[in-house]
């Protein structure tokens, strides 16, 4: 680039002062490390000079070997990513600092083991977040997005889950006793494709819930209200459904091998509906 600039001076429009020096309209601060590199082949950058600025100059002048050195130096200067879980105190501070009408995006964040009990978490986007082993008891998760989130081993007892989106989430071994999935306005909770192996959902209100092709193997759904629920293709093997209200529920293609149906509030018509 430097050779072209001085070979075709008319094209570049380089100006000379009275001493014959050429003006190159670039930052002298960022050019100094480049000039030294061209002199001795070593990358030396003084404190206080932004490496990104030097990198842009190196790209402008087309010095490929220096670009590689700078990219490595910039990468090594970055602090390591912090994957430590977010604490309750940090998250509450974040909630208080966010305007009530703003959308809260917590996609992919790590809350593993955090105590988020009794918090108002309505409408928050937790898509693909790590909420494993969290305490979410009595939390308000109305219309929250928990799609593909990891809720394994978490406690959500008595949580408000009206209209929640939990598509393909992993809640294996979680406790969801006495939860409310039923929205009076008709908005249905969606747990399609969720992994709910071994969950305890005893006594939960789940009218109209979508559990299509979800896995509920060895789950406890005793005394649950599943009226009008979609359970098509759901794996209910060894599931305890005793005392459940399954009136108008869709069980077509579901697997009920070893499932317990004793003392059901509504008789289950199994013809052509389950396998």
């Amino acid at each position: 680039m430097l050779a072209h600039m001085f070979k075709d001076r008319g094209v570049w429009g380089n100006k000379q002062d009275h001493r014959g020096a050429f003006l190159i309209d670039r930052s002298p601060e960022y050019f100094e490390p480049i000039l030294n590199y061209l002199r001795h082949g070593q990358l030396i950058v003084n404190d206080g000079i932004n490496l990104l600025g030097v990198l842009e100059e190196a790209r402008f002048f087309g010095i490929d070997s220096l670009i590689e050195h700078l990219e490595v130096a910039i990468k090594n200067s970055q602090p390591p990513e912090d994957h430590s879980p977010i604490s309750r105190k940090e998250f509450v501070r974040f909630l208080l600092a966010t305007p009530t009408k703003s959308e809260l995006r917590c996609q992919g964040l790590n809350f593993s083991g955090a105590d988020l009990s009794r918090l108002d978490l309505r409408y928050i986007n937790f898509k693909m977040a790590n909420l494993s082993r969290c305490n979410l008891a009595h939390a308000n998760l109305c219309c929250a997005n928990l799609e593909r989130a990891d809720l394994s081993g978490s406690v959500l007892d008595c949580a408000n889950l009206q209209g929640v989106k939990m598509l393909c989430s992993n809640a294996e071994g979680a406790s969801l006793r006495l939860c409310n999935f039923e929205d009076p306005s008709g908005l249905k909770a969606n747990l399609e494709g969720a992994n709910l192996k071994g969950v305890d959902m005893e006594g939960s209100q789940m009218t109209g819930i979508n559990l299509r092709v979800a896995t509920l193997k060895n789950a406890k759904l005793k005394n649950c209200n599943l009226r009008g629920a979609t359970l098509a293709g759901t794996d209910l093997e060894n599931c305890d459904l005793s005392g459940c209200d399954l009136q108008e529920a869709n069980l077509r293609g579901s697997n009920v091998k070893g499932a317990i149906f004793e003392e059901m509030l509504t008789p289950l018509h199994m013809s052509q509906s389950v396998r």
Side-chain angles (χ1 to χ4, degrees):
M1 176 62 76
L2 285 169
H4 282 296
M5 292 175 75
F6 289 101
K7 181 179 180 181
D8 302 319
R9 281 179 279 175
V11 176
W12 286 95
N14 293 326
K15 298 179 181 179
Q16 287 180 275
D17 63 14
H18 65 280
R19 295 174 296 178
F22 286 91
L23 170 66
I24 301 175
D25 190 16
R26 305 295 293 185
S27 170
E29 180 181 30
Y30 296 141
F31 185 70
E32 183 178 354
I34 293 175
L35 186 59
N36 288 327
Y37 176 80
L38 294 173
R39 285 170 172 156
H40 46 61
Q42 298 294 321
L43 174 61
I44 300 174
V45 182
N46 294 332
D47 292 341
I49 296 179
N50 192 327
L51 287 174
L52 291 172
V54 181
L55 176 60
E56 287 305 310
E57 293 303 297
R59 286 170 175 165
F60 175 79
F61 289 110
I63 309 172
D64 293 340
S65 58
L66 178 56
I67 291 172
E68 294 176 7
H69 283 298
L70 285 164
E71 288 176 341
V72 171
I74 290 171
K75 184 177 180 180
N76 292 337
S77 68
Q78 299 296 322
E81 292 186 21
D82 185 6
H83 296 288
S84 58
I86 298 171
S87 67
R88 179 186 179 93
K89 184 177 180 179
E90 290 171 326
F91 191 52
V92 169
R93 189 184 300 120
F94 172 63
L95 290 175
L96 293 174
T98 305
T100 55
K101 294 184 179 180
S102 298
E103 180 186 3
L104 285 177
R105 297 181 179 181
C106 299
Q107 300 104 308
L109 295 184
N110 185 7
F111 295 91
S112 180
D115 179 9
L116 305 178
S117 60
R118 300 183 183 276
L119 292 180
D120 186 354
L121 307 174
R122 290 175 294 173
Y123 303 102
I124 295 180
N125 189 344
F126 288 108
K127 187 174 181 179
M128 294 186 289
N130 183 0
L131 292 155
S132 60
R133 298 177 286 102
C134 276
N135 181 5
L136 288 157
H138 298 275
N140 187 355
L141 286 157
C142 176
C143 296
N145 186 353
L146 292 160
E147 184 177 346
R148 300 184 184 277
D150 184 0
L151 290 154
S152 56
S154 292
V155 176
L156 293 96
D157 296 343
C158 302
N160 181 11
L161 296 165
Q162 295 174 327
V164 72
K165 295 178 182 178
M166 291 177 62
L167 288 82
C168 301
S169 59
N170 176 24
E172 184 171 352
S175 179
L176 292 95
R177 295 169 61 89
L178 302 173
C179 288
N180 181 28
F181 293 87
E182 185 177 352
D183 189 346
S185 67
L187 187 62
K188 297 180 179 180
N190 192 349
L191 282 75
E192 183 170 335
N195 176 15
L196 300 167
K197 289 181 182 178
V199 298
D200 186 354
M201 304 177 82
E202 183 173 346
S204 292
Q205 294 295 318
M206 297 187 282
T207 300
I209 193 173
N210 181 8
L211 287 162
R212 183 177 175 275
V213 298
T215 301
L216 283 151
K217 188 175 182 179
N218 300 317
K220 298 177 183 178
L221 277 76
K222 191 173 182 180
N223 300 322
C224 285
N225 182 359
L226 287 161
R227 184 181 291 248
T230 299
L231 295 157
T234 303
D235 186 358
L236 296 166
E237 185 176 346
N238 298 324
C239 187
D240 186 354
L241 291 157
S242 57
C244 284
D245 184 353
L246 284 161
Q247 185 174 351
E248 300 178 1
N250 178 6
L251 285 147
R252 186 176 299 277
S254 60
N255 177 19
V256 294
K257 181 181 178 181
I260 301 172
F261 292 99
E262 285 85 352
E263 301 176 3
M264 290 177 59
L265 297 180
T266 304
L268 175 65
H269 300 288
M270 298 181 65
S271 60
Q272 298 181 342
S273 61
V274 297
R275 57 182 170 88

